[in-house]
Amino acid sequence: GENVEQHPSTLSVQEGDSAVIKCTYSDSASNYFPWYKQELGKGPQLIIDIRSNVGEKKDQRIAVTLNKTAKHFSLHITETQPEDSAVYFCAAITGGFKTIFGAGTRLFVKA
Amino acid sequence: SQTIHQWPATLVQPVGSPLSLECTVEGTSNPNLYWYRQAAGRGLQLLFYSVGIGQISSEVPQNLSASRPQDRQFILSSKKLLLSDSGFYLCACHGPIAETQYFGPGTRLLVL
């Protein structure tokens, strides 16, 4: 069945450094890739998304890249701040209503 | 934009007791609705989804059931809770752009 692998499971960076989270999907028909940020005790919040007809999308300090050939997509956070500390989930959707989530990455930003 | 309400926010229940968690959605019509469970420090496990009133699909066999009595109401239930039912329960819906899922604030359930 469809699968999304996410790495690393835990990431620790110094404040001001960049953080990169990578995901790989299995269904070549996937065409929409959202990223969610989940703070402790809260529901996941959509932070950025990308469609399969776009290679890169940027929103201030966060960006997402997509390589359809390799079935990889990545989240890049620049100039990290302590408030970026959270769990991040990638996901892939194949034109339907079921979202396949990665297992999550716990990001720690050390002040 | 849509808003998802969940209650209660926190619940502590004894083993063997019944459960009813409620989710309501505002700001959208005929949404697809979802129940997820998240164990501590873990990912999102899809439990149920619904594409319309009275239509429920179950993703995993378990001790739980779901119902959708109204267009924007989704209920998660159990007749007898197990210790393994403890977790963080999240309701989600598709927004106006059908692919994007939005999540509610969650209900933390502890079964003792």
mmCIF file with all atom_site columns, all heavy atoms in Angstrom, chain B residues 13-19 63 78-83 85 111-112:
data_model
loop_
_atom_site.group_PDB
_atom_site.id
_atom_site.type_symbol
_atom_site.label_atom_id
_atom_site.label_alt_id
_atom_site.label_comp_id
_atom_site.label_asym_id
_atom_site.label_entity_id
_atom_site.label_seq_id
_atom_site.pdbx_PDB_ins_code
_atom_site.Cartn_x
_atom_site.Cartn_y
_atom_site.Cartn_z
_atom_site.occupancy
_atom_site.B_iso_or_equiv
_atom_site.pdbx_formal_charge
_atom_site.auth_seq_id
_atom_site.auth_comp_id
_atom_site.auth_asym_id
_atom_site.auth_atom_id
_atom_site.pdbx_PDB_model_num
ATOM 1   N N   . GLN B 1 13  ? -10.695 7.926  32.351 1.00 0.00 ? 13  GLN B N   1
ATOM 2   C CA  . GLN B 1 13  ? -11.782 6.958  32.464 1.00 0.00 ? 13  GLN B CA  1
ATOM 3   C C   . GLN B 1 13  ? -11.246 5.629  32.990 1.00 0.00 ? 13  GLN B C   1
ATOM 4   O O   . GLN B 1 13  ? -10.121 5.235  32.651 1.00 0.00 ? 13  GLN B O   1
ATOM 5   C CB  . GLN B 1 13  ? -12.414 6.712  31.096 1.00 0.00 ? 13  GLN B CB  1
ATOM 6   C CG  . GLN B 1 13  ? -13.199 7.891  30.537 1.00 0.00 ? 13  GLN B CG  1
ATOM 7   C CD  . GLN B 1 13  ? -14.543 8.065  31.220 1.00 0.00 ? 13  GLN B CD  1
ATOM 8   O OE1 . GLN B 1 13  ? -14.661 8.848  32.163 1.00 0.00 ? 13  GLN B OE1 1
ATOM 9   N NE2 . GLN B 1 13  ? -15.542 7.333  30.766 1.00 0.00 ? 13  GLN B NE2 1
ATOM 10  N N   . PRO B 1 14  ? -12.047 4.905  33.770 1.00 0.00 ? 14  PRO B N   1
ATOM 11  C CA  . PRO B 1 14  ? -11.622 3.573  34.214 1.00 0.00 ? 14  PRO B CA  1
ATOM 12  C C   . PRO B 1 14  ? -11.804 2.547  33.106 1.00 0.00 ? 14  PRO B C   1
ATOM 13  O O   . PRO B 1 14  ? -12.650 2.702  32.205 1.00 0.00 ? 14  PRO B O   1
ATOM 14  C CB  . PRO B 1 14  ? -12.559 3.278  35.392 1.00 0.00 ? 14  PRO B CB  1
ATOM 15  C CG  . PRO B 1 14  ? -13.770 4.115  35.139 1.00 0.00 ? 14  PRO B CG  1
ATOM 16  C CD  . PRO B 1 14  ? -13.298 5.332  34.413 1.00 0.00 ? 14  PRO B CD  1
ATOM 17  N N   . VAL B 1 15  ? -10.992 1.510  33.170 1.00 0.00 ? 15  VAL B N   1
ATOM 18  C CA  . VAL B 1 15  ? -11.136 0.381  32.247 1.00 0.00 ? 15  VAL B CA  1
ATOM 19  C C   . VAL B 1 15  ? -12.552 -0.169 32.326 1.00 0.00 ? 15  VAL B C   1
ATOM 20  O O   . VAL B 1 15  ? -13.117 -0.296 33.403 1.00 0.00 ? 15  VAL B O   1
ATOM 21  C CB  . VAL B 1 15  ? -10.112 -0.720 32.589 1.00 0.00 ? 15  VAL B CB  1
ATOM 22  C CG1 . VAL B 1 15  ? -10.424 -1.995 31.810 1.00 0.00 ? 15  VAL B CG1 1
ATOM 23  C CG2 . VAL B 1 15  ? -8.701  -0.256 32.281 1.00 0.00 ? 15  VAL B CG2 1
ATOM 24  N N   . GLY B 1 16  ? -13.139 -0.461 31.173 1.00 0.00 ? 16  GLY B N   1
ATOM 25  C CA  . GLY B 1 16  ? -14.474 -1.037 31.134 1.00 0.00 ? 16  GLY B CA  1
ATOM 26  C C   . GLY B 1 16  ? -15.592 -0.019 31.048 1.00 0.00 ? 16  GLY B C   1
ATOM 27  O O   . GLY B 1 16  ? -16.753 -0.396 30.831 1.00 0.00 ? 16  GLY B O   1
ATOM 28  N N   . SER B 1 17  ? -15.266 1.251  31.180 1.00 0.00 ? 17  SER B N   1
ATOM 29  C CA  . SER B 1 17  ? -16.305 2.283  31.106 1.00 0.00 ? 17  SER B CA  1
ATOM 30  C C   . SER B 1 17  ? -16.553 2.662  29.645 1.00 0.00 ? 17  SER B C   1
ATOM 31  O O   . SER B 1 17  ? -15.727 2.414  28.778 1.00 0.00 ? 17  SER B O   1
ATOM 32  C CB  . SER B 1 17  ? -15.881 3.507  31.911 1.00 0.00 ? 17  SER B CB  1
ATOM 33  O OG  . SER B 1 17  ? -14.726 4.095  31.345 1.00 0.00 ? 17  SER B OG  1
ATOM 34  N N   . PRO B 1 18  ? -17.718 3.279  29.359 1.00 0.00 ? 18  PRO B N   1
ATOM 35  C CA  . PRO B 1 18  ? -18.001 3.696  27.978 1.00 0.00 ? 18  PRO B CA  1
ATOM 36  C C   . PRO B 1 18  ? -17.303 5.009  27.642 1.00 0.00 ? 18  PRO B C   1
ATOM 37  O O   . PRO B 1 18  ? -16.805 5.721  28.516 1.00 0.00 ? 18  PRO B O   1
ATOM 38  C CB  . PRO B 1 18  ? -19.523 3.872  27.977 1.00 0.00 ? 18  PRO B CB  1
ATOM 39  C CG  . PRO B 1 18  ? -19.846 4.222  29.394 1.00 0.00 ? 18  PRO B CG  1
ATOM 40  C CD  . PRO B 1 18  ? -18.862 3.502  30.250 1.00 0.00 ? 18  PRO B CD  1
ATOM 41  N N   . LEU B 1 19  ? -17.275 5.313  26.338 1.00 0.00 ? 19  LEU B N   1
ATOM 42  C CA  . LEU B 1 19  ? -16.606 6.525  25.869 1.00 0.00 ? 19  LEU B CA  1
ATOM 43  C C   . LEU B 1 19  ? -17.447 7.202  24.800 1.00 0.00 ? 19  LEU B C   1
ATOM 44  O O   . LEU B 1 19  ? -18.051 6.530  23.949 1.00 0.00 ? 19  LEU B O   1
ATOM 45  C CB  . LEU B 1 19  ? -15.242 6.175  25.269 1.00 0.00 ? 19  LEU B CB  1
ATOM 46  C CG  . LEU B 1 19  ? -14.489 7.316  24.582 1.00 0.00 ? 19  LEU B CG  1
ATOM 47  C CD1 . LEU B 1 19  ? -13.926 8.280  25.609 1.00 0.00 ? 19  LEU B CD1 1
ATOM 48  C CD2 . LEU B 1 19  ? -13.388 6.783  23.679 1.00 0.00 ? 19  LEU B CD2 1
ATOM 49  N N   . ASN B 1 63  ? -11.557 -1.637 19.336 1.00 0.00 ? 63  ASN B N   1
ATOM 50  C CA  . ASN B 1 63  ? -12.587 -1.559 20.353 1.00 0.00 ? 63  ASN B CA  1
ATOM 51  C C   . ASN B 1 63  ? -13.448 -0.314 20.200 1.00 0.00 ? 63  ASN B C   1
ATOM 52  O O   . ASN B 1 63  ? -14.305 -0.060 21.028 1.00 0.00 ? 63  ASN B O   1
ATOM 53  C CB  . ASN B 1 63  ? -11.854 -1.539 21.714 1.00 0.00 ? 63  ASN B CB  1
ATOM 54  C CG  . ASN B 1 63  ? -12.795 -1.549 22.864 1.00 0.00 ? 63  ASN B CG  1
ATOM 55  O OD1 . ASN B 1 63  ? -13.769 -2.285 22.853 1.00 0.00 ? 63  ASN B OD1 1
ATOM 56  N ND2 . ASN B 1 63  ? -12.537 -0.718 23.863 1.00 0.00 ? 63  ASN B ND2 1
ATOM 57  N N   . SER B 1 78  ? -16.999 4.048  22.474 1.00 0.00 ? 78  SER B N   1
ATOM 58  C CA  . SER B 1 78  ? -16.630 2.701  22.877 1.00 0.00 ? 78  SER B CA  1
ATOM 59  C C   . SER B 1 78  ? -17.608 2.241  23.950 1.00 0.00 ? 78  SER B C   1
ATOM 60  O O   . SER B 1 78  ? -18.033 3.042  24.778 1.00 0.00 ? 78  SER B O   1
ATOM 61  C CB  . SER B 1 78  ? -15.209 2.654  23.428 1.00 0.00 ? 78  SER B CB  1
ATOM 62  O OG  . SER B 1 78  ? -14.913 1.370  23.934 1.00 0.00 ? 78  SER B OG  1
ATOM 63  N N   . LYS B 1 79  ? -17.929 0.949  23.946 1.00 0.00 ? 79  LYS B N   1
ATOM 64  C CA  . LYS B 1 79  ? -18.809 0.425  24.977 1.00 0.00 ? 79  LYS B CA  1
ATOM 65  C C   . LYS B 1 79  ? -18.021 0.087  26.237 1.00 0.00 ? 79  LYS B C   1
ATOM 66  O O   . LYS B 1 79  ? -18.505 0.222  27.356 1.00 0.00 ? 79  LYS B O   1
ATOM 67  C CB  . LYS B 1 79  ? -19.545 -0.813 24.466 1.00 0.00 ? 79  LYS B CB  1
ATOM 68  C CG  . LYS B 1 79  ? -20.543 -0.507 23.367 1.00 0.00 ? 79  LYS B CG  1
ATOM 69  C CD  . LYS B 1 79  ? -21.258 -1.766 22.921 1.00 0.00 ? 79  LYS B CD  1
ATOM 70  C CE  . LYS B 1 79  ? -22.260 -1.448 21.817 1.00 0.00 ? 79  LYS B CE  1
ATOM 71  N NZ  . LYS B 1 79  ? -22.961 -2.659 21.316 1.00 0.00 ? 79  LYS B NZ  1
ATOM 72  N N   . LYS B 1 80  ? -16.769 -0.405 26.045 1.00 0.00 ? 80  LYS B N   1
ATOM 73  C CA  . LYS B 1 80  ? -15.921 -0.775 27.181 1.00 0.00 ? 80  LYS B CA  1
ATOM 74  C C   . LYS B 1 80  ? -14.483 -0.413 26.862 1.00 0.00 ? 80  LYS B C   1
ATOM 75  O O   . LYS B 1 80  ? -13.846 -1.057 26.022 1.00 0.00 ? 80  LYS B O   1
ATOM 76  C CB  . LYS B 1 80  ? -16.010 -2.278 27.453 1.00 0.00 ? 80  LYS B CB  1
ATOM 77  C CG  . LYS B 1 80  ? -17.287 -2.745 28.129 1.00 0.00 ? 80  LYS B CG  1
ATOM 78  C CD  . LYS B 1 80  ? -17.161 -4.219 28.490 1.00 0.00 ? 80  LYS B CD  1
ATOM 79  C CE  . LYS B 1 80  ? -18.374 -4.690 29.277 1.00 0.00 ? 80  LYS B CE  1
ATOM 80  N NZ  . LYS B 1 80  ? -18.234 -6.099 29.697 1.00 0.00 ? 80  LYS B NZ  1
ATOM 81  N N   . LEU B 1 81  ? -13.931 0.553  27.548 1.00 0.00 ? 81  LEU B N   1
ATOM 82  C CA  . LEU B 1 81  ? -12.568 1.006  27.275 1.00 0.00 ? 81  LEU B CA  1
ATOM 83  C C   . LEU B 1 81  ? -11.533 -0.003 27.760 1.00 0.00 ? 81  LEU B C   1
ATOM 84  O O   . LEU B 1 81  ? -11.696 -0.656 28.798 1.00 0.00 ? 81  LEU B O   1
ATOM 85  C CB  . LEU B 1 81  ? -12.316 2.349  27.951 1.00 0.00 ? 81  LEU B CB  1
ATOM 86  C CG  . LEU B 1 81  ? -12.918 3.570  27.256 1.00 0.00 ? 81  LEU B CG  1
ATOM 87  C CD1 . LEU B 1 81  ? -12.835 4.780  28.158 1.00 0.00 ? 81  LEU B CD1 1
ATOM 88  C CD2 . LEU B 1 81  ? -12.238 3.818  25.929 1.00 0.00 ? 81  LEU B CD2 1
ATOM 89  N N   . LEU B 1 82  ? -10.451 -0.081 26.990 1.00 0.00 ? 82  LEU B N   1
ATOM 90  C CA  . LEU B 1 82  ? -9.285  -0.885 27.352 1.00 0.00 ? 82  LEU B CA  1
ATOM 91  C C   . LEU B 1 82  ? -8.130  0.060  27.699 1.00 0.00 ? 82  LEU B C   1
ATOM 92  O O   . LEU B 1 82  ? -8.116  1.217  27.281 1.00 0.00 ? 82  LEU B O   1
ATOM 93  C CB  . LEU B 1 82  ? -8.866  -1.780 26.188 1.00 0.00 ? 82  LEU B CB  1
ATOM 94  C CG  . LEU B 1 82  ? -9.939  -2.678 25.578 1.00 0.00 ? 82  LEU B CG  1
ATOM 95  C CD1 . LEU B 1 82  ? -9.401  -3.346 24.325 1.00 0.00 ? 82  LEU B CD1 1
ATOM 96  C CD2 . LEU B 1 82  ? -10.401 -3.711 26.593 1.00 0.00 ? 82  LEU B CD2 1
ATOM 97  N N   . LEU B 1 83  ? -7.144  -0.456 28.427 1.00 0.00 ? 83  LEU B N   1
ATOM 98  C CA  . LEU B 1 83  ? -5.961  0.360  28.738 1.00 0.00 ? 83  LEU B CA  1
ATOM 99  C C   . LEU B 1 83  ? -5.307  0.874  27.450 1.00 0.00 ? 83  LEU B C   1
ATOM 100 O O   . LEU B 1 83  ? -4.830  2.003  27.386 1.00 0.00 ? 83  LEU B O   1
ATOM 101 C CB  . LEU B 1 83  ? -4.949  -0.463 29.537 1.00 0.00 ? 83  LEU B CB  1
ATOM 102 C CG  . LEU B 1 83  ? -5.289  -0.761 30.985 1.00 0.00 ? 83  LEU B CG  1
ATOM 103 C CD1 . LEU B 1 83  ? -4.254  -1.712 31.584 1.00 0.00 ? 83  LEU B CD1 1
ATOM 104 C CD2 . LEU B 1 83  ? -5.362  0.520  31.815 1.00 0.00 ? 83  LEU B CD2 1
ATOM 105 N N   . ASP B 1 85  ? -6.564  1.862  24.844 1.00 0.00 ? 85  ASP B N   1
ATOM 106 C CA  . ASP B 1 85  ? -7.287  2.954  24.178 1.00 0.00 ? 85  ASP B CA  1
ATOM 107 C C   . ASP B 1 85  ? -6.763  4.326  24.591 1.00 0.00 ? 85  ASP B C   1
ATOM 108 O O   . ASP B 1 85  ? -7.146  5.341  24.006 1.00 0.00 ? 85  ASP B O   1
ATOM 109 C CB  . ASP B 1 85  ? -8.787  2.863  24.493 1.00 0.00 ? 85  ASP B CB  1
ATOM 110 C CG  . ASP B 1 85  ? -9.455  1.665  23.841 1.00 0.00 ? 85  ASP B CG  1
ATOM 111 O OD1 . ASP B 1 85  ? -9.060  1.310  22.707 1.00 0.00 ? 85  ASP B OD1 1
ATOM 112 O OD2 . ASP B 1 85  ? -10.353 1.057  24.473 1.00 0.00 ? 85  ASP B OD2 1
ATOM 113 N N   . VAL B 1 111 ? -6.870  5.998  30.138 1.00 0.00 ? 111 VAL B N   1
ATOM 114 C CA  . VAL B 1 111 ? -7.669  4.898  30.679 1.00 0.00 ? 111 VAL B CA  1
ATOM 115 C C   . VAL B 1 111 ? -6.864  4.239  31.794 1.00 0.00 ? 111 VAL B C   1
ATOM 116 O O   . VAL B 1 111 ? -5.725  3.803  31.576 1.00 0.00 ? 111 VAL B O   1
ATOM 117 C CB  . VAL B 1 111 ? -8.025  3.873  29.586 1.00 0.00 ? 111 VAL B CB  1
ATOM 118 C CG1 . VAL B 1 111 ? -8.902  2.766  30.164 1.00 0.00 ? 111 VAL B CG1 1
ATOM 119 C CG2 . VAL B 1 111 ? -8.727  4.554  28.434 1.00 0.00 ? 111 VAL B CG2 1
ATOM 120 N N   . LEU B 1 112 ? -7.452  4.181  32.988 1.00 0.00 ? 112 LEU B N   1
ATOM 121 C CA  . LEU B 1 112 ? -6.735  3.639  34.148 1.00 0.00 ? 112 LEU B CA  1
ATOM 122 C C   . LEU B 1 112 ? -7.363  2.327  34.625 1.00 0.00 ? 112 LEU B C   1
ATOM 123 O O   . LEU B 1 112 ? -8.562  2.121  34.480 1.00 0.00 ? 112 LEU B O   1
ATOM 124 C CB  . LEU B 1 112 ? -6.742  4.661  35.281 1.00 0.00 ? 112 LEU B CB  1
ATOM 125 C CG  . LEU B 1 112 ? -6.089  6.018  34.973 1.00 0.00 ? 112 LEU B CG  1
ATOM 126 C CD1 . LEU B 1 112 ? -6.282  6.966  36.141 1.00 0.00 ? 112 LEU B CD1 1
ATOM 127 C CD2 . LEU B 1 112 ? -4.600  5.820  34.698 1.00 0.00 ? 112 LEU B CD2 1
#
